[in-house]
Structure formats: C-alpha cells, structure tokens
Amino acid sequence: MVTLPTSGESQQWVGQPLQRREDARFLRGTGRYTDDVPHAFALHAAFVRSPIAFGVIRSIDVRPALEIPGVIAVLTSADLGHATLTGFLDRDEFIKTAMPILANERVRFVGEPLAIVIATSRYIAEDAIEAVSYEIDEFDPIVAMDDAQRTPQPIHDEAPDGVLVDLRMFNDDELEEVLATSHVVVDETFRSGRLQAAPMEGRGCLAEWIDRDDQLVVTVSTQLPHQVRTGIAQALGLAERQVRVIVPDVGGGFGFKAVLGREEVAVAAAARILRRPVRWAEDRLESLTASFQGREQEYTVRAGFTEDGVLTGLAADIRCNIGAYSAFPFTCGLEPIMAATEFLGVYKVPRYASRSRGIASNKPPSNAYRGVSRPQIVMVMEGLMDRAADRLGIDRVEIRRRNTIRAEDFPYSGPNGITYEPGSYLEALELCAAQVEAAGWRQRCEEAAPGFIRGIGIANFSERNAYGTATMGLRRMPMTPGFEVAHLAMDASGDVTLTSGTCSAGQGHETTFAQIVADRLGIAPDRIQLRQGDTDLTSFGWGTFAGRSLVIGGGAAAVAARRLAVQLREVAAQLLSVDADDVELVNGHARVRGTGASISIDEIAKTVHFRSHLLTDREEYLLESHGSADPSGMFSNGCHAALVEIDAGTCAVQVLDYLVVEDCGVIVNPLVVDGQVRGGIAQGIGATLYEEASYSPDGQPLAGSFMSYLVPTAAEMPPISIHHLETPCYQTETGVKGMGEAGTIGAPAVILSALNDALRSRDAWLEHVPVTPADIQRLLALPTKMESS
Amino acid sequence: MKPARFDYHRASTTLEAVALIDDLGEEAKFIAGGQSLVPMMNFRLARPSALIDIMHIGDLDSIQRDGDALVVGALTRHRTLETSTDPTLMGGFALLPTAARWIGHTPIRTRGTIGGSLMHADASAEWCMMARLFNAQLRLEGPRGRRTVAADDWFQGMFSTAADFNELLVEIRFTTPRQCGALAEFSRRHGDFATAAVAVAFDVVDDRLCNVGIVIGGVEGVPVRAGEAETLLEGASVGAVDVDGAARSAAAGVAPMESEPREAAYRRHLVDTLTRRAIHDALATGVQ
C-alpha cells in the first residue's frame, strides 16, 4: 500500500500542458545523438554481411581487405572468442539457442554479420567489405512460417521443427463443447506483415577502453542502458563495473532499441582488442534489413457467440515468425507470450484456450516493436466482433457493449489469470460512439463522391503497461525487470538533479518527471534536471519500454521527492523555530501555516550546504533522497474510430478522420500524451496501409530503403481529435498509467474495421495488414452481395 | 552506404565538360543535381571512376521561347520550371509547371535538373513523360559536335538513352504546344515515384480534339505513348469524347513490368483510371 500525496496548496504542475523542454534542442538540431559525440581518434566500423539467407560458412578470407591502406583490422567470430548473446526464458516450452556476435559456422539471414572491419573511415571500411571473400554452401531458406515443415535443414539443431517456443499457457477442457453448442462460431485466420520500427536515428555506438578507470566506455543509442551493460559484460567476460554505458539523446526507440544488438558487442570487443576507440553508425540499409523486425504473425481463431452476440469462448492458435535468433534480453518468447496472455483485451470471455508459438525463419530476429502483439490481438478481437455482428445482425457498437468488462465487474479476473484494476472500457466505447455521431461521420459516408466508398471503423481496447517484477517474474527471464530507483539531490542553489534508470528515446521525460517532482517540492519544474542514460551516474534500472518510464520511474521520483520534501520542511522548521508538521512547500518557499513566516527554498539549500553548523539537530548532511517503485502493472484503455475512403479508381485508401478516446489515468502533461497518441497512430497507419519488410522466396530483403519501406509522412496523416477520460491507478503515488503504445495498438484494428465497413457489400473480408491497393482492387472486383444472390 | 572511390572534376564550359569525359572514358559520369546518381553511388549500384560536375557551366540554366518551341537549358532546376507560370513564356506548355510539382519533395526539386532527369531516364519521371508528350528535341554536345535526338528515339530501355557516354545533354526543346493538358499520377505515398502516371495533351479546334498525345509512365521500362487511344480521341467532338474507350485502350495496350499477376492487373487498372482522369482534367483546362 502506498501513501497518497497530500495535495495541500502546492502549485499543481501535474496536468499542465507544459511545452517539452527537450523540444528546443530537438527542433533546432542541437540535440546530441550517439554519432554527434565527437572523438578525434575514433576508428570506424562496418560489417561484412551475408548475402545468403541460409547456409554453412566454408571459409572467410580477410587478407585482401587488410592490404587496403587505412584498414586496421578485420575480425571474425574466432577473433572474438566465438562470443555469443543468449536471450532465453527458463521454461520447458522454450528452446535455448545462442546468437553468435559474428556468424559462426552458419549464416541464418541476409545481412547477418560475418566479420567486422575497422578502418580509419567508413568509406575505407566499406571498400574493405568488398575485399573480404567467403564461401557459403547454401540451404533452402525458411522464409514463410509454413516453409519450416518442408525444409529438412533446421535453422537451429536444437529445434528440428523450427519451433523455438511453444506455449500452451491457457487450457480449458470444456471449451470445445462450449463452441460446439454456441449459436455461431466465427472461424477466421488473421495475418500481419513483418515490420521494422524505422526510428529516425538508427542504431549506433562508440566504444573506448579507458585504462584509468579500468573500463570499457560504450556510448550507445539504446532504451536499456543497464541491460546493454550486462549483455556486453557477459559476452566479453567483464565485470559489470568494467562496462560503462552512456546514452545521449536517442532519436526514437519504439522497442527497436529495447535490445542489445550483436553489432554493439562487436564494436565494444574490437575497441577492447585493439585498445583504440571505435565507432559505428548504422545506415538505413542495415537498419531496415539487418537489425530487428517484428509483427509477422498469424492467428487462427474460433470464437463462439450466443444468439445475442455474447462471447461464449475463444480458441486461438498463434504463430509468430520470430526470425533467425532469440534477441537479448527479451527473447523470441516476447511476442508469443504477450499475444496469448493479453488476447482477451477489454472483453469478458468465459472460456479461453490458446497455443502460441515462435517459429524460426531466415530473417532478422524479431524484437519488441511498440505495442508488442497488442496491435494484432486487438485487430483479431475487433475483427471477430465485426464478423459476429454481421452474422448475427447486431450493431457493431452494440455487440461490443454486450461483451465489454463494465465498471461493476472490477476488479475483474479473466480466464487469462489477470486481474484488471478499474478502467473506463464501456465509458470509452460510449463516448467514442457518441463522438462519431456528433462528428457527422455517417452523413460523410453518404456524401462520398461517385467512385469513392467510405466506411467507419471502431475499436475498443486496453494496453497493459508498466510491468513490475511481480508480473515480469512470471515470464521467467534469467533477469526480471520491473522496479526503478530514483535519486534526488538539491544543490546549493536550490536546483534539483534527479536520476533515473529509465531512458528517454524522445518521449519528454525531462519535462514530465520534473512536473511530478515540482509538485512535491513546491518549486518550478525548470529547477529540476533529469539525468538519465549513464550506468555510472544512475542507479541500476530497467530502461524504457512498455509504458513503464513515467509510471515506474516517475513513481520512484515521486517517492524520492516526498522524502526530500520532508527534509526541506525539517530544515525550515529548525531555521524558523516551528514544528515541521506546520511547514508547507509552496511557490519556492517553506511557509508556516497560519503565520506569515517563510523562508525560501533557495535559502534552505544554501544553508544546508554552506552553513551546516547552524543545523545542530540534523543527523544527515546535504539534501538527498531516493525512492523506488515496483507496481505489478496496469491497463490503460481507449477506443478509436476512423473514417476511411477507398478510391475505386486507384484502389488507394485514405484515412479521412480519426477519433480517439484515451484513458491513461492521471495525465501529467496533455501535450505529451497527445503527441504519443498521434505518433502511435502514424505508426499504426503505416502498419495497416504502407509498411512491410517483405522478402523474396529465397530470403532476400525487398525493402532496403525508404523508397520501398513506406513509412507514412505527414501527408498521409488524418486529422486526429483526442478525448480524455481519467481513471487513476494508485499502484504508484502519481495515479498515472502508461500510454506510449495505445496509438499503435488501436490503428490497425480500427482501419481494418472501417475498410470492411466500406466493403460490406462485397462478400469478402480483409483479415490481414498491410492492405495494399492490389488487395483492394481484388475485393472491388468481386461481385456485390446483391449481384451474387 | 558510402560511395566507392571516385575522382572529382569541375567543368566550367560545355566544351570543357565534353573534353574531360572524352578523356576520362566510359567509367566517368557527369553529375548535375545528383538526386538520383548520389543515392545510387551510396548503394554502390553506380561506381563511376570520376564525376564531372557540370553545375558550374553558366549558360545551361534558362527557359526561353523560340517561336512555338519552349527551349529549356539542361541545368534548369525542377523548382525553376515549377515556378515558371508566366503565360507569355509558358503558353501551350502550362502542364510543365504542374508536372514539376509531382517531382519528389521541394528540397529535391531545388537541386535536381531537367537534364539530369532525362539522362537518368526513369520511366516514371515526369520530364521523361513530358518530353514524349510535347515531342521534345534533345540537343547533345559531343566530341564530334552537336546532334539532336527526338524524344521518341531517346529512351532505349530502362535507365538507358540514345546519348553516348561522352555526350552532354545541353538543351531540351519542347516543340508542340497544346491548349489543353493534364497529368494524372498515383503513388501510394506523397512525393514518391509514380506507381503509374498518365499525361494527356491536345488542342481544340472547331470544338474538336486534335494533336492528341497520351503518354504513360511508370508501367513499362520507358514512358510509352498510347497510340490507339490517341487515335480514338483525335477529331472527337469535345462534348462526345469516348473517355471509356480511350482508357480501356490505354490499359489494354500496356505491358506492365510486374511479374506478379495481381500487381500487373493492378497497374493495368491504374492506367485505365489515370487515363480517364487525365482526359477529364485536360478537357477542364480547355474550358477555363
């Protein structure tokens, strides 16, 4: 049980739409990203990458490359002592496989690093890449998930059938009978395409061995400073203390950097072996084809409904194409576990069984991407709702209403073993539906020009986030993420430095964390500086992912601030000769209630530092505190609606308008929340209509630049209006819930729902993303229901 | 994505540029705005031994009228053409500024040149389509002097032109002004290369269409003329244009590059739609 903050009369910074203090430098180009960090003597790394999807390495000859002037070294797996990274879950259903830092014996995807070249410039390094020769005996690659069944050669010998993880976490002996006796059973297969998160800044690092500190200092673009430290230390046989990870500004993470890549380890190893600083900045070709991908999934589901549209039970067979390796530290079990556990979303499903598999393929490994499986499970659940509504002749909003977990059901425990704390699931649905009516979308559907077809989609969903150790422990990773520890120190000027183990990738932590601390110390947010992304500066933490930073990191900061406030009040009480209980911190002052007496917090800070002899009653020196937080995890929720238009002539889809109802508990900064929602929707629209990391049947990547990997631009974005509900969650002191992924989660479901609404006269349904113009053309060419009957 | 080693030369006159390339040989290449060549070099898909920078040749950046013809210097930027809307200069070629707007994004248009685009000869490039639509004469300067190639003979295949390695494109002469014209393009994302594009131009004399040109880009390896559709429209009365017939004929006449049947069918469908829209839009420009 945590103590709630006393609101008092202190200025409430939480809830204010404060401009992000990060924006000035980001927008003016004065941010400092990994490749901006200057180093006069750094060498440049580039990787020799496999052009073959699957094969056995017979030989690698680096000698011609070494003859090129400016080439310092070319290292292969043996030079790195065959170092590996192994991301695994300690469970029977999981087969542990290692990812070599540089390919050893086999290559398993196009782009896999065979060797690292170190040269005096990246230009020379790329010349050297061309001079390295190798012989690879090719196997037939496994590209699609079904290929695994017909190829005799397994990707990993440990898993002859190609299945690296096979979870049967949820079983129900009576489900089959329930489905057999249900009024209707919707039996469908949904698919989603392979994606790449495509942050503006790709991966990159700068590594240098510093003798003075007996340390390898690695500047790296990551969401996980401490986990990168652990991984590098483990792979290179160093103590944790011997690796310092520094993270400057990060130009987008989206889960793509919630991982340790083999390249960063190879660069660190090279710096250590050569005793010279080495840097590497991924180019877009590497980023799109040789880093991490995700989202390639297939769901075969059967959902039973009563005549009234009430769900009776759901059976799901989930398959995730997890690529060639299990990523460190979140493993190839990430997508399958998330999909199986959180499938049921905001709906009451009496009976549930699922099998969830991760299948290896000759593609880059999968890792987290904003939303992790939730975009798919929401697309599936909402697709089932739409199908059932159509089959049963029930309104699409009404069938959702009948199945949604309601206020009186909380705390609700579902067959997935999760207990849901209060949310506004039905309220969000009703508000969203009302907004659709108020916005006149039905009328706008009627008003489509000849040759254009419009439809409306709706999707109601939840987003579980801020997983603490109690929940993460169930996954059985060898290290269990979840807690955060914050430190606060007020200096002699009265300015506060806050450190956190969370690590912004651009989300605005410097602004929002300061708002939380400011309220508790009675000072303005601009007096508070967040320092993050340095393993020598911050306490051990778990970085930034899954909507955890403001909830857990911010929650820890709130505790630390409350404790620092106690110290300030005690010092003020001594200096003013009053009882500390009568002192409150308001507007930069410690004020005695009921009297006019006060002392500025700046003065308190100065006294504590420079005139501590005056504070005879004080046992401690300075003004420092720490706090921690470890919530079990919580559900934000939201409801999205979209108005889309199909141009029958070009078969293009345009999202004309978009509505969001969002409930993430207490809102610390509405500008940041709205920005997260909008950015997420942009990625969701990309996933639904534009982006696909597609491969040829022989495993060659077909999307190697932004000419073929179509990230949507501002021109493709609809207007988005956002409505907020606030159902606080007091697993931490702030009442906030995480919300970074909601936009990405809702958009595919709602756009698919809208397209199926637009195409309802055709007797066919879209059940996959991305939807291409050619898909639309195929459906438009089908006879309408009226023509065929 | 760093280019392989190359030498850099800067030419200040056309003659100097031609002499340089003749001397450096086939592995050398001219560079103007570099908007296609530089990315190709970064991917190492193009590996010129030397670049001859022609952007400092002073007299190739101009738009002039010579009787009916519009004469455009090869180093004229897309952006310059986009903003050239003076009717006394552009009469009969009002489609050119409109077409320029479809080229990439503003930063690309301020660097890229019309000559560079025609030398690169991407089948979906707006200037390649315009060259065929307005029967451009492309003037080349080579070691043995000047010669002129008609747009219909310019495109030899994907990214391949009639120019020899040591010939510099210096001038594009659009010869046939037309009263009405329109360009209909489709790309999935704003600013991308066209999935398909159709340009239409014609005159209206005595309420009838004449000098009809229809060019289809992005579907085959070179921009192609829809000859049958042109014939179908030639002489048609403004009020009774067989738009359906022309669109169907244009779509039937193309041979899409895509091997995947669904994608090929989609391109054909797109040609039908875009032809339809281009004809309608072109007719509308005549009404104004």
Side-chain angles (χ1 to χ4, degrees):
Chain A
M1 198 61 199
V2 295
T3 318
L4 301 186
T6 52
S7 59
E9 294 166 58
S10 63
Q11 201 164 357
Q12 287 288 309
W13 291 101
V14 166
Q16 297 298 318
L18 240 59
Q19 292 281 339
R20 302 197 319 166
R21 70 166 60 161
E22 295 92 336
D23 285 346
R25 69 174 192 273
F26 289 166
L27 296 176
R28 289 179 183 134
T30 57
R32 189 184 176 91
Y33 299 90
T34 294
D35 210 37
D36 297 325
V37 175
H39 198 302
F41 308 111
L43 300 169
H44 293 259
F47 290 88
V48 180
R49 296 184 181 278
S50 174
I52 306 291
F54 193 19
V56 173
I57 303 168
R58 290 298 169 208
S59 67
I60 302 178
D61 184 5
V62 306
R63 285 167 303 178
L66 291 170
E67 286 166 18
I68 296 173
V71 174
I72 307 298
V74 183
L75 308 177
T76 60
S77 183
D79 299 312
L80 271 48
H82 299 301
T84 60
L85 278 172
T86 304
F88 69 99
L89 300 176
D90 192 12
R91 26 193 339 147
D92 292 343
E93 318 98 303
F94 190 95
I95 293 173
K96 188 171 166 180
T97 56
M99 176 168 71
I101 300 305
L102 297 170
N104 179 25
E105 294 176 5
R106 279 187 211 177
V107 290
R108 295 184 172 90
F109 65 92
V110 173
E112 174 155 19
L114 292 165
I116 179 173
V117 176
I118 313 294
T120 51
S121 79
R122 171 89 189 199
Y123 292 84
I124 294 171
E126 292 195 20
D127 291 344
I129 287 173
E130 295 179 334
V132 173
S133 62
Y134 40 79
E135 294 170 297
I136 298 172
D137 290 348
E138 290 186 53
F139 299 137
D140 286 340
I142 294 164
V143 179
M145 287 191 276
D146 292 330
D147 293 350
Q149 289 152 15
R150 56 170 187 267
T151 302
Q153 184 65 48
I155 292 177
H156 295 279
D157 292 339
E158 300 91 327
D161 60 354
V163 180
L164 292 187
V165 53
D166 189 351
L167 300 165
R168 297 170 192 262
M169 299 163 73
F170 306 103
N171 300 292
D172 187 327
D173 293 341
E174 291 169 46
L175 176 61
E176 287 306 322
E177 199 185 322
V178 166
L179 290 177
T181 55
S182 291
H183 183 75
V184 295
V185 174
V186 179
D187 184 345
E188 299 296 334
T189 299
F190 294 83
R191 293 186 184 85
S192 62
R194 201 167 188 84
L195 296 187
Q196 219 277 345
M200 286 174 77
E201 183 206 22
R203 298 176 300 158
C205 61
L206 166 63
E208 182 174 25
W209 181 267
I210 307 282
D211 267 338
R212 175 176 175 268
D213 301 318
D214 186 34
Q215 259 188 338
L216 188 59
V217 179
V218 189
T219 304
V220 56
S221 185
T222 184
Q223 298 167 234
L224 308 175
H226 282 91
Q227 289 61 54
V228 166
R229 179 176 78 173
T230 298
I232 291 176
Q234 284 179 5
L236 303 187
L238 295 167
E240 293 260 351
R241 180 196 60 72
Q242 288 179 295
V243 180
R244 178 182 182 183
V245 171
I246 297 173
V247 185
D249 283 329
V250 174
F254 314 116
F256 174 73
K257 294 173 186 168
V259 69
L260 173 58
R262 55 216 303 192
E263 287 87 351
E264 292 94 324
V265 181
V267 169
R272 184 163 172 245
I273 291 167
L274 300 172
R275 294 273 176 149
R276 293 181 68 174
V278 180
R279 75 186 319 151
W280 170 70
E282 173 174 81
D283 63 31
R284 192 55 66 183
L285 176 64
E286 290 179 289
S287 191
L288 286 171
T289 64
S291 58
F292 296 93
Q293 301 174 340
R295 298 269 211 268
E296 187 176 353
Q297 301 184 356
E298 183 181 290
Y299 292 71
T300 301
V301 286
R302 289 174 296 139
F305 289 85
T306 67
E307 195 172 357
D308 297 329
V310 176
L311 269 162
T312 57
L314 195 155
D317 186 12
I318 303 162
R319 299 194 303 157
C320 306
N321 183 331
I322 56 87
Y325 294 103
S326 181
F328 177 93
F330 286 110
T331 85
C332 62
L334 183 66
E335 286 193 0
I337 285 190
M338 192 74 92
T341 309
E342 297 176 17
F343 201 154
L344 309 180
V346 296
Y347 298 115
K348 287 186 276 193
V349 184
R351 302 202 168 270
Y352 170 58
S354 71
R355 181 182 188 191
S356 189
R357 281 172 284 181
I359 294 165
S361 72
N362 294 112
K363 293 180 181 175
S366 65
N367 192 54
Y369 175 28
R370 201 175 191 178
V372 183
S373 294
R374 271 79 55 90
Q376 288 76 21
I377 59 182
V378 172
M379 177 180 93
V380 174
M381 288 302 287
E382 298 303 290
L384 293 173
M385 287 293 160
D386 284 352
R387 296 301 302 270
D390 184 66
R391 297 257 300 262
L392 295 164
I394 301 173
D395 175 75
R396 288 184 298 158
V397 173
E398 178 59 25
I399 196 167
R400 286 167 168 81
R401 196 178 277 136
R402 289 177 191 176
N403 287 289
T404 298
I405 304 167
R406 289 161 181 265
E408 61 266 28
D409 298 323
F410 294 114
Y412 169 83
S413 293
N416 54 2
I418 301 172
T419 298
Y420 298 60
E421 78 292 330
S424 55
Y425 304 169
L426 192 61
E427 296 80 355
L429 176 67
E430 301 293 6
L431 177 57
C432 194
Q435 290 294 333
V436 166
E437 299 303 327
W441 283 10
R442 283 179 200 282
Q443 173 107 14
R444 288 180 68 184
C445 281
E446 308 289 314
E447 291 166 356
F452 291 79
I453 315 166
R454 292 179 177 174
I456 297 170
I458 194 158
N460 198 18
F461 61 93
S462 61
E463 170 200 356
R464 198 180 188 198
N465 52 63
Y467 304 80
T469 55
T471 304
M472 285 304 243
L474 301 174
R475 282 196 195 166
R476 298 185 218 161
M477 292 165 66
M479 45 189 198
T480 302
F483 60 84
E484 280 303 327
V485 175
H487 279 264
L488 273 183
M490 183 176 278
D491 65 21
S493 323
D495 289 330
V496 173
T497 300
L498 162 66
T499 66
S500 175
T502 57
C503 189
S504 172
Q507 294 94 334
H509 296 175
E510 291 166 39
T511 307
T512 50
F513 280 53
Q515 286 177 269
I516 288 172
V517 171
D519 272 352
R520 285 154 182 83
L521 297 182
I523 61 177
D526 61 8
R527 303 295 301 274
I528 298 149
Q529 191 74 33
L530 173 67
R531 302 294 303 276
Q532 53 191 336
D534 186 339
T535 55
D536 273 12
L537 178 70
T538 72
S539 284
F540 181 87
W542 296 97
T544 289
F545 58 89
R548 71 186 303 277
S549 289
L550 194 67
V551 182
I552 311 183
V559 174
R562 175 165 53 78
R563 290 175 178 163
L564 188 62
V566 171
Q567 293 179 34
L568 289 171
R569 285 175 23 229
E570 283 171 356
V571 175
Q574 246 191 85
L575 294 174
L576 297 171
S577 303
V578 297
D579 194 314
D581 290 345
D582 293 331
V583 177
E584 58 187 6
L585 305 174
V586 183
N587 290 336
H589 286 76
R591 203 168 66 183
V592 184
R593 280 193 197 87
T595 80
S598 80
I599 181 170
S600 77
I601 290 173
D602 292 359
E603 191 60 34
I604 294 172
K606 199 195 289 180
T607 305
V608 168
H609 284 81
F610 298 152
R611 300 175 64 79
S612 59
H613 64 282
L614 297 177
L615 301 169
T616 48
D617 289 353
R618 230 182 154 226
E619 287 176 15
E620 297 291 334
Y621 291 89
L622 300 180
L623 292 165
E624 295 180 356
S625 67
H626 83 280
S628 57
D630 186 11
S632 61
M634 61 211 63
F635 288 88
S636 297
N637 67 278
C639 189
H640 289 194
L643 174 66
V644 306
E645 178 174 84
I646 295 170
D647 176 342
T650 62
C651 304
V653 174
Q654 193 188 351
V655 183
L656 297 177
D657 209 349
Y658 204 105
L659 268 167
V660 173
V661 176
E662 165 76 21
D663 186 344
C664 60
V666 171
I667 295 172
V668 174
N669 185 326
L671 292 180
V672 172
V673 168
D674 288 1
Q676 287 284 329
V677 168
R678 290 199 164 89
I681 289 168
Q683 288 181 310
I685 288 175
T688 313
L689 298 174
Y690 298 102
E691 299 174 28
E692 184 162 21
S694 47
Y695 281 78
S696 71
D698 57 349
Q700 293 294 328
L702 300 176
S705 80
F706 283 145
M707 282 173 67
S708 41
Y709 192 82
L710 303 181
V711 174
T713 71
E716 281 71 52
M717 286 292 286
I720 299 169
S721 54
I722 304 172
H723 304 266
H724 296 289
L725 298 170
E726 289 195 49
T727 310
C729 173
Y730 285 108
Q731 288 184 27
T732 71
E733 293 195 6
T734 60
V736 308
K737 302 176 179 181
M739 53 72 53
E741 302 178 329
T744 327
I745 293 170
V750 74
I751 294 169
L752 211 59
S753 173
L755 287 172
N756 281 323
D757 183 43
L759 296 165
R760 63 193 174 279
S761 65
R762 263 77 184 179
D763 201 12
W765 292 72
L766 288 164
E767 290 176 337
H768 71 275
V769 289
V771 176
T772 66
D775 294 329
I776 297 286
Q777 191 212 358
R778 185 175 51 84
L779 290 198
L780 288 175
L782 294 174
T784 61
K785 283 175 189 168
M786 212 170 290
E787 287 165 354
S788 56
S789 62
Chain B
M1 292 210 300
K2 302 288 184 207
R5 195 197 138 83
F6 60 89
D7 293 327
Y8 173 86
H9 302 271
R10 177 183 286 187
S12 48
T13 65
T14 303
L15 287 178
E16 189 189 350
V18 171
L20 265 169
I21 203 155
D22 201 42
D23 188 39
L24 292 165
E26 284 193 46
E27 298 302 309
K29 250 185 137 32
F30 295 121
I31 184 165
Q35 296 301 290
S36 299
L37 180 56
V38 171
M40 286 171 67
M41 288 171 63
N42 285 343
F43 277 103
R44 300 198 175 202
L45 296 172
R47 327 175 54 115
S49 60
L51 290 181
I52 300 159
D53 187 348
I54 55 171
M55 285 309 266
H56 302 271
I57 298 175
D59 53 355
L60 297 183
D61 178 8
S62 62
I63 306 173
Q64 287 166 335
R65 203 70 202 221
D66 181 8
D68 268 359
L70 186 76
V71 185
V72 180
L75 291 182
T76 305
R77 268 91 161 171
H78 309 315
R79 180 71 179 166
T80 309
L81 280 150
E82 180 188 355
T83 52
S84 294
T85 48
D86 175 5
T88 55
L89 180 66
M90 301 300 288
F93 299 102
L95 186 55
L96 297 183
T98 307
R101 278 209 294 279
W102 285 93
I103 303 172
H105 303 271
T106 307
I108 294 170
R109 295 199 289 272
T110 56
R111 285 179 165 255
T113 65
I114 184 169
S117 174
L118 286 161
M119 286 298 294
H120 183 57
D122 187 305
S124 65
E126 287 74 12
W127 295 138
C128 297
M129 296 177 67
M130 291 302 120
R132 292 212 69 181
L133 189 68
F134 291 106
N135 299 307
Q137 297 284 326
L138 291 86
R139 208 183 85 197
L140 294 164
E141 192 85 44
R144 276 163 299 282
R146 290 179 186 176
R147 69 181 177 117
T148 299
V149 179
D152 285 352
D153 303 322
W154 180 255
F155 302 101
Q156 304 279 305
M158 274 176 79
F159 303 111
S160 166
T161 73
D164 206 351
F165 83 93
N166 54 8
E167 287 181 306
L168 178 64
L169 176 61
V170 292
E171 185 181 282
I172 300 96
R173 176 176 288 254
F174 296 99
T175 61
T176 50
R178 247 75 64 91
Q179 294 166 342
C180 305
L183 171 65
E185 270 203 41
F186 177 73
S187 61
R188 283 175 69 188
R189 195 174 55 166
H190 172 79
D192 283 352
F193 287 102
T195 311
V198 177
V200 172
F202 47 77
D203 287 319
V204 177
V205 176
D206 297 335
D207 222 26
R208 289 186 181 278
L209 274 55
C210 57
N211 301 321
V212 177
I214 301 177
V215 176
I216 300 164
V219 179
E220 301 191 22
V222 297
V224 291
R225 291 185 72 142
E228 270 187 44
E230 288 174 356
T231 310
L232 210 62
L233 296 190
E234 192 73 33
S237 157
V238 168
V241 175
D242 182 8
V243 179
D244 274 347
R248 273 200 303 270
S249 156
V254 290
M257 288 179 285
E258 278 67 32
S259 50
E260 213 269 304
R262 258 177 64 188
E263 283 296 325
Y266 171 62
R267 291 284 168 121
R268 215 179 273 282
H269 175 77
L270 211 46
V271 169
D272 181 297
T273 296
L274 295 173
T275 306
R276 214 173 278 272
R277 289 183 184 175
I279 295 170
H280 275 297
D281 291 351
L283 285 166
T285 61
V287 171
Q288 283 163 4

